[in-house]
Each structure stands twice: as structure tokens, then as C-alpha cells.
Amino acid sequence: MNPGTNYQHLLNNLEYLKLKQMMVHLNQVIDFSVQNQLSFVDTLIKLTNYEIDVREQNMIHSMVKVGAFPHLKEVKDFDFDFQPSINQQQIFDFLTLRFIEKNENIVFLGPSGVGKTHLATSIGIHAAKKRTSTYFIKCHDLIQNLKRARLENHLENRLKHYAKYKLLIIDEIGYLPIDQEDAKMFFQLIDMRYEKRSTIFTTNINFKAWDEVFQEPKLANAILDRILHHATVVTMVGNSYRLKDHLAKENE
């Protein structure tokens, strides 16, 4: 047996199998294995770990990209001192993703600028990094997409598309009114996900006023009933986070 020929054969095999990271780190692992007298199995574990680590990172990157998040801010980037109304430990508990295991919802309720979207997105990014299928969409865009699908006669497929995600984030409910036909489509989606998937909602509208948003009290109540049945409502108050620097200058 020719060690040089066998080494080249191994490299060729790794290249053929497209195990790029194992090729790149082969010499390093061989040297480490010889110096530390590793067993064959331990050597293979060390070598394959390089391949797995990169593939995991690529998978995480792909999951986050598919999520269509508006930004990549995480919980660590949130200024809890500026918004003392928020229970920080509750947010950290959301990051355990227990609510997804139990098919529960989260509703962030509060005025514009207090950080609802930031927190909702942060939880979504964390879920995506844990390889949980996650998707972010603004409520208006969701309605427009469903409306377009209805006109093109594939509403059912579009509803199934949004229903499939283990975590769906619907941002800014109530910023624009929703007519009755569109509200029916929205209800269909909420009903399809009810007790099967988790959804995070952000809204600046008190629940009592949702019949004005959906312009049909019975439909609004049916939507709310399914959203809130298994949900944690996080009520946020305080100054606009976006105006924080401006307010600080005024107080100087």
C-alpha cells in the first residue's frame, strides 16, 4: 500500500462526495490524530464535525433568509431599560420556544414605536436559528397577497402556504382597515392555524376596537376568539423607541 496514493485517493473521494470542509481540514485532523493517538472513530468524528458545523450554519442562514424578516435585530439588541413595562424574563421564556411546542400565540399590543416589531422579529429569528420554519409578513401585505391569490383562483394554495409555517409573524394589524371579504380570508388563515401552529401578532389597536378594523363585529369576534384562546398578550406602554434619541436631546 502506498500512503501517498491512498491519501490522494481519499482526497479524490472527499471531492467526489462534495465534502469540502473535510478536504480543507484533512491535513489538520490527520496531524492532530497522530500527535494525540486518536482512535479511528474519534478521528472521523473530529473530521466530520467540520462538515456538519458549516452545513448547520448554512442551514441556519437559509432558515433566517426564508423568514423574510424586516431586520436582523435580536433580543440582545433591545433596550429593556427604555421600556420598563416589559417583563424581560417573559421575553426570555418565549425564546425557549415552549409556546411553539404548545401551539400557542403571542400578541404584542401597544402604541407605535414601543418595540413590538423588534421583539416579535427577535423571537422569530431565534426560532429560525433553531430550524423552526418561520415567516414574517405585515398584515397589509398578507391581505394583498391573499386578495391577489383569490383573483387568480389559487387562494386555497396561498392559505396553505401561510398555514404551513410552524411560526408565522403577522405585523401591524389595525394600521389599515380590512373590508369584509378580506376579513373572511384572514379568518380562514387564522382558523387553519388554530391549535395547530403558533402565530405572533403585533397591533396598536385595543381588542375592543377590532370590529372597527375588520368592519364586521361577528367576524372580528371569531378572529379574536381563535387568536386569544391560547395566547399570551404582552401589553407595551411608554415612549416611542424610534424617538428615543430625539427625546434625549430635548432633555439635555
Side-chain angles (χ1 to χ4, degrees), residues 210-221:
W210 274 39
D211 56 347
E212 298 173 14
V213 173
F214 292 97
Q215 304 182 26
E216 170 55 53
K218 287 184 178 179
L219 202 52
N221 286 336

Side-chain angles (χ1 to χ4, degrees), residues 140-187:
H140 177 69
D141 293 336
L142 172 64
I143 295 297
Q144 293 305 307
N145 290 347
L146 293 178
K147 185 182 292 188
R148 191 177 305 114
R150 183 180 62 195
L151 292 173
E152 295 171 357
N153 295 315
H154 58 257
L155 175 60
E156 190 65 25
N157 287 339
R158 182 50 49 174
L159 286 168
K160 287 179 180 178
H161 169 76
Y162 290 124
K164 73 180 181 182
Y165 292 101
K166 292 188 74 174
L167 177 61
L168 180 65
I169 302 171
I170 303 177
D171 191 40
E172 297 186 344
I173 294 177
Y175 282 79
L176 293 170
I178 300 169
D179 68 36
Q180 191 169 343
E181 284 304 308
D182 294 343
K184 287 178 181 177
M185 293 188 298
F186 187 81
F187 170 78

